[in-house]
């Protein structure tokens, strides 16, 4: 993986996370999920993103 590919994937991941958070916020505002559920899902998404970022960083070839 090159640095350009990593940058592309990072931007894609950021947009996906933004979409997930906006969707969760909408679900919370309409009363489908509670504040606690929102927090748990948001933390889970953040942990997955950190793991993916660490994996991508190891795959970059100098």
């Amino acid at each position: 993986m090159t640095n350009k590919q990593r940058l592309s994937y990072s931007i894609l991941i950021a947009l996906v996370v933004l979409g997930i958070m906006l969707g969760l916020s909408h679900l919370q505002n309409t009363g489908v999920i509670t504040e606690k559920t929102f927090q748990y899902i948001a933390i889970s998404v953040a942990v997955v993103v950190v793991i993916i970022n660490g994996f991508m960083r190891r795959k970059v070839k100098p």
Side-chain angles (χ1 to χ4, degrees), residues 17 20-21 24-25 28 33-52:
V17 169
I20 290 171
M21 291 303 162
L24 287 173
S25 179
Q28 183 190 358
I33 60 174
T34 63
E35 176 76 22
K36 250 334 178 196
T37 307
F38 176 87
Q39 289 175 355
Y40 287 138
I41 296 172
I43 291 170
S44 301
V45 168
V47 168
V48 168
V49 168
V50 168
I51 291 170
I52 291 172

